[in-house]
Every structure is written in C-alpha cells, then in structure tokens.
Amino acid sequence: MRSHRRSRLLAPILLLPLMSGCFASGGGSDSGSGAKDGDGSRLRVALAFPPAENLSPYGADATLLSRLGVTEGLTALDANGSAAPALAESWRRDGEKTWEFTLRDATFQDGTEVTPAAVADSLTHATEAEPVPAALSGVTITAKADGDRTLRVTTTEPDPVLPLRLSSPSLAVLSAKAYGKSGRVDPVGTATGPFEITKVNGATSATLDRFDEYWGGRAQAAGVDARFIADGTARANALRTGELDIAEAVPVAQAATLEKDTRRDTATTRTTSLLLNTSKGTFKDAGLRAAARAAVDTSVLAEDVYEGYADPGAGIYGPAVTWAEGKRTKPVGRAAAGRADGDTVTLATYDNRPELPEVAQVVKQQLEKAGFKVKLTVREYSRLESDALEGKFDAFVLARNTLLDTGDPVAVLASDYTCDGGFNIAQLCDKDADRAVAEAERTADSGERQDAAMAAEARILGSGAVVPLVHQRIITGVAAGVQGVILDPYERTLVGTGTRR
C-alpha cells in the first residue's frame, strides 16, 4: 500500500498563488547578459542538508542540485507560481492528454545537444525510478520526440497542470551519460544549468565550475564552492567570520548575531507540522490524535521558538499561499478528544533545521502535560528519513515546503496524505481523504482546483493525521557585497547567473 515512497523534504496552482519576496528562475532576470569580461570570483555557499542519496535527482538531493544552479527542467516557476520557460521555450495543449513542448537551443554540460530525444529519454528514466518521484505521483507520462525541436508528452489521464509538474527539481533533464548500467543517476557533468559539478567530497562539500555554454548566458561567478553544514550555528558563524558568502537556513536564534544588512528573511510556502502515525501505535486511535491536537499551543511556537519569524499553524497551506485563507473550511470528520492515560509515544525530528529540536521539545512538554509519556529522538535528517517513512515513530515534527514538488497545491496532499502517497509519514489511508484528493487532481480550472484542494485539506485535517504548527519565514545569510542571491519562496533556487561578489 505504501511501497512507493520518496523524500520530498527539501523539501511542495497553485495555478495562481500570490507570493511575497524576490524571486527569479531559469534564465530570467538573473541572466548573464550583464556579466563582466573577467572570470569573476568564486562563491562560497553553505547548505543545510548534505546529500542523502548520492545526488540522485529523484530524491531529497534534487533541490540541492537546483539550488546550486546545476540542474533544470523543461519549465520553472515564476514569482506568481505559474509555469515559466526553462529548457522549453513554449508549449501548448494538444487535446486532453497531450502537451507539445518546443525546446530552446541548449547544450548539456558534457557537450552534447539538448534534443527532444534526449529529453524524452531523461523523462522516461524518471518514470522508471523506484520509488517514483513525488512530482509523478498518481500520473503516468510518455515522452516522445516529434521533429528537431518538439517534444510531445502524453498522460494516461488528462493532466491540466503538466507544465507545472515538469518544473519539479526531481524531473531535471540530464544527458544520456547520466544513466549508467548500475541504475544510479549521475548529475556530475551531465546537467544543463549555469554551474557544473566537477568534484564531490561525499557529504562534506562539492566543487562547481561555471558552465560557459549555458543557454541563459555566462554566469558572473567563476564557480561555487559548496559546503554541507548541518549545524545551523556553524553556518551562521562561518558567514560572520567571512568564510562564506551565502548561508542558507540561518537559525532564528542566530539571526540577531548577524549584521542587519547580511540577513534576508523571505516568506515561504513551508509549514512545520506534527505528523501522527495513524496506522499503528498510540495514535492509531483517532481520539488520542484529537487529544494530541488539543494539547498543542501553536502560538507559543511562533512567538517563542521562531521569535516572530513564523505564524501560528492555520492549515497545511500557510499565509504565503495568499488565496488559501479565504477558501479554507472547517475540518471535516474530527473525532472527539480522548483521554491520554500514560500512553507512551515516540516523537522524532531532525536537527538540520535548528528550530525543529526546540519545537519538538516544546511539543513533548505539551503532550506530557496532556497525559502522554514521550520519548524524543533527534538525528540528522539522512539518518532519520527511512525510519520515518517506514512508520517507526508515533509522531514526527517535519518542516515541509507544500509547493516544492510541482507548485500545485494538490501534489503535496497526494504524496503526503493518500494511501499510496510517496511521502506519507503519517501513514494515512483514509478513503474519504483519498476521494477528495482524487477529485482535486481531476479539476482543471484554477479557482475550482483551489476550492477542491481546500476541501481535501479539510478532510485530511479532520483525520487528525497532521497538526499544523507554524508557517515559516526562512532567513538567508548574505555577506556584504554579494549580489544576485535568489530569495525563492519555493526554496528551489539560491544561486544563478547573476549571483556574484
């Protein structure tokens, strides 16, 4: 029932989500047309999550690759959440089940040409991945070349958001050399972005050089020296002492230690939630899930743990998804709260995002006050993910970008809260929830799709499988003199052709 699972942490239409913050994607406003004649300086960047799957584009590492400017897909997301050109310069729908994409002139980093046949081969490999990428959850696609610059993508059922789906970092287009006989996908030197990976030092660091033949223009930085630093305090300290140019996900506790002009906070579509295991253990009982929900005071988390860099949890979608609040309805089918009487639960989270252990500690205290006995487990994310997906914890505190996978609000519901969802940590298998999500997936009109997504959210919240805790703002540390950092509400991009120092 849950054999197809895939990490989507790093990680979500919204045909029309109105986002705040500054954002550029693909070869847009960060194009290299203003690049200097010289080679430029190298960028020193720290990311919070080390590679968990050997830089496979089909898992959590997909956003590492896109944030570093290595990979890209046929489409991207613009600031309004609509599909924007990337490797495809245009597209049109041909009937209910087929979309036709016209490719731009582009080159892979190994020197081969980006052709419709190469793109079709890359997408076919994605469809055959085990487990399937979350962006393809519930969808079957077939890609075929049709002439020198045209690619036709057909779905078994009508898919009104296919161009958005193809913007997912997990559907990055790679050259034929990326796909070896072993089944491992290697993005080193096989992608299309402005920066090419030249060296990977395990889970410690990676070296990237500028790809001079990038279709969007020559990057202004000569390359990127990336470090993977899970400790948020260490990232902030390295920025403060001049060792870094960019530090992602600065902990709120460290924000005040940075000079005001070196920190940027951006509204994101990330929600931190308490996920409750509905298939076994204490929280298989809906009444005890309701008791846990009633015990949690989200205002304390927003004000104290996040120091004002977050809003109390309102639903699966937060205030950065500006249409959601006006369409939100009351949860459907909520059970009456039962009484905890010393029931023991295991609560887990990870420390790559430094606020999460503190959130989990507060939640632990609140649950204990309500009568639960709580054992808390905190690990680095890559050492925790498989256990979480296998349902080995009773409760899990997760920070999840609800629009990361496709930009479509329905996608996160399908992957996280349906019987066959690829990232179903809550182990939820509820026929009413599945039915509501399926109805939303079939809806083409943007406004009606939003309504259907909110109806499905009401069903999922009613199940008690998820307790939204806070909606986050993310803090990025940017050294003085560094320009062109991409502050992306979807957290897909960070450096581009215009990022420089």
Side-chain angles (χ1 to χ4, degrees):
M1 179 172 63
R2 298 184 178 92
S3 60
H4 298 296
R5 291 179 176 149
R6 170 58 63 186
S7 166
R8 291 269 63 92
L9 177 63
L10 297 176
I13 257 154
L14 270 194
L15 298 178
L16 293 170
L18 300 177
M19 298 292 177
S20 60
C22 175
F23 175 55
S25 65
S29 62
D30 249 7
S31 71
S33 59
K36 299 177 181 179
D37 292 336
D39 285 340
S41 300
R42 296 184 65 83
L43 295 168
R44 301 164 300 169
V45 179
L47 301 182
F49 291 85
E53 297 168 330
N54 296 314
L55 291 177
S56 167
Y58 302 143
D61 296 351
T63 49
L64 295 181
L65 297 169
S66 66
R67 287 176 70 74
L68 289 172
V70 176
T71 56
E72 56 192 351
L74 283 175
T75 61
L77 289 183
D78 67 15
N80 292 320
S82 299
L87 289 175
E89 60 184 11
S90 64
W91 52 89
R92 69 180 186 88
R93 196 168 188 176
D94 184 10
E96 287 191 340
K97 299 180 181 180
T98 299
W99 293 77
E100 185 177 279
F101 295 84
T102 300
L103 304 186
R104 67 174 73 249
D105 289 329
T107 305
F108 289 111
Q109 293 164 352
D110 61 10
T112 60
E113 184 181 357
V114 176
T115 63
V119 176
D121 181 63
S122 185
L123 291 177
T124 299
H125 279 287
T127 66
E128 296 170 347
E130 290 289 345
V132 67
L136 295 178
S137 177
V139 175
T140 301
I141 68 171
T142 302
K144 293 184 178 180
D146 184 17
D148 293 338
R149 306 307 307 160
T150 303
L151 176 79
R152 291 175 65 83
V153 181
T154 302
T155 57
T156 54
E157 298 294 333
D159 185 12
V161 296
L162 183 69
L164 285 164
R165 194 181 302 281
L166 294 176
S167 74
S168 171
S170 65
L171 299 181
V173 174
L174 303 175
S175 72
K177 292 182 180 179
Y179 309 100
K181 294 181 180 179
S182 66
R184 179 176 177 267
V185 183
D186 188 1
V188 176
T190 61
T192 61
F195 294 103
E196 174 184 357
I197 298 175
T198 56
K199 184 178 182 181
V200 179
N201 297 311
T204 303
S205 64
T207 302
L208 296 81
D209 289 343
R210 175 173 52 211
F211 175 47
D212 287 341
E213 301 305 313
Y214 178 55
W215 63 264
R218 190 169 179 260
Q220 296 184 23
V224 178
D225 297 315
R227 295 164 60 188
F228 306 110
I229 305 176
D231 188 303
T233 300
R235 290 196 301 277
N237 286 340
L239 182 79
R240 192 165 49 246
T241 58
E243 298 175 41
L244 292 175
D245 299 309
I246 305 168
E248 75 165 1
V250 173
V252 294
Q254 294 295 316
T257 70
L258 300 179
E259 295 292 335
K260 185 177 181 180
D261 62 354
T262 65
R263 63 178 188 262
R264 314 277 194 275
D265 68 278
T266 309
T268 73
T269 54
R270 181 172 296 278
T271 296
T272 295
S273 299
L274 175 66
L275 300 171
L276 303 178
N277 189 333
T278 63
S279 69
K280 61 184 178 180
T282 297
F283 293 127
K284 184 176 181 179
D285 185 321
L288 292 178
R289 295 199 298 272
R293 173 183 52 80
V296 175
D297 182 352
T298 62
S299 64
V300 170
L301 300 173
E303 295 170 9
D304 296 344
V305 177
Y306 286 90
E307 301 179 17
Y309 286 100
D311 298 299
I316 294 172
Y317 313 107
V321 186
T322 55
W323 55 262
E325 184 59 33
K327 293 176 177 286
R328 180 166 285 120
T329 59
K330 292 182 179 180
V332 176
R334 270 185 172 169
R339 180 179 179 182
D341 187 16
D343 298 274
T344 300
V345 297
T346 57
L347 171 65
T349 195
Y350 45 99
D351 54 11
N352 304 73
R353 297 187 182 276
E355 298 82 14
L356 296 188
E358 188 174 352
V359 169
Q361 185 62 44
V362 173
V363 170
K364 175 179 182 290
Q365 294 169 358
Q366 293 177 342
L367 292 177
E368 289 175 338
K369 187 176 180 180
F372 295 97
K373 291 182 180 179
V374 184
K375 178 183 178 181
L376 179 60
T377 296
V378 179
R379 302 180 203 154
E380 196 273 327
Y381 181 75
S382 64
R383 298 177 54 241
L384 196 70
E385 180 189 71
S386 60
D387 284 348
L389 291 172
E390 291 171 8
K392 293 185 178 181
F393 306 113
D394 295 301
F396 195 87
V397 174
L398 175 76
R400 177 79 154 104
N401 192 319
T402 57
L403 299 181
L404 176 66
D405 293 334
T406 64
D408 176 11
V410 181
V412 71
L413 304 182
S415 66
D416 291 23
Y417 303 109
T418 63
C419 292
D420 294 324
F423 195 61
N424 191 352
I425 291 177
Q427 311 293 300
L428 181 64
C429 190
D430 181 281
K431 291 181 179 179
D432 290 332
D434 273 22
R435 191 177 299 113
V437 172
E439 177 62 28
E441 288 179 318
R442 290 191 293 268
T443 305
D445 176 80
S446 60
E448 292 177 0
R449 193 176 182 89
Q450 292 168 359
D451 292 337
M454 300 311 294
E457 182 201 56
R459 283 285 181 186
I460 292 165
L461 292 176
S463 74
V466 55
V467 181
L469 300 176
V470 293
H471 306 292
Q472 294 177 243
R473 300 181 69 85
I474 195 166
I475 305 169
T476 305
V478 181
V482 176
Q483 302 178 45
V485 177
I486 303 172
L487 304 177
D488 176 7
Y490 308 104
E491 301 180 78
R492 293 179 171 194
T493 52
L494 181 65
V495 298
T497 55
T499 314
R500 64 191 185 280
R501 66 182 177 96

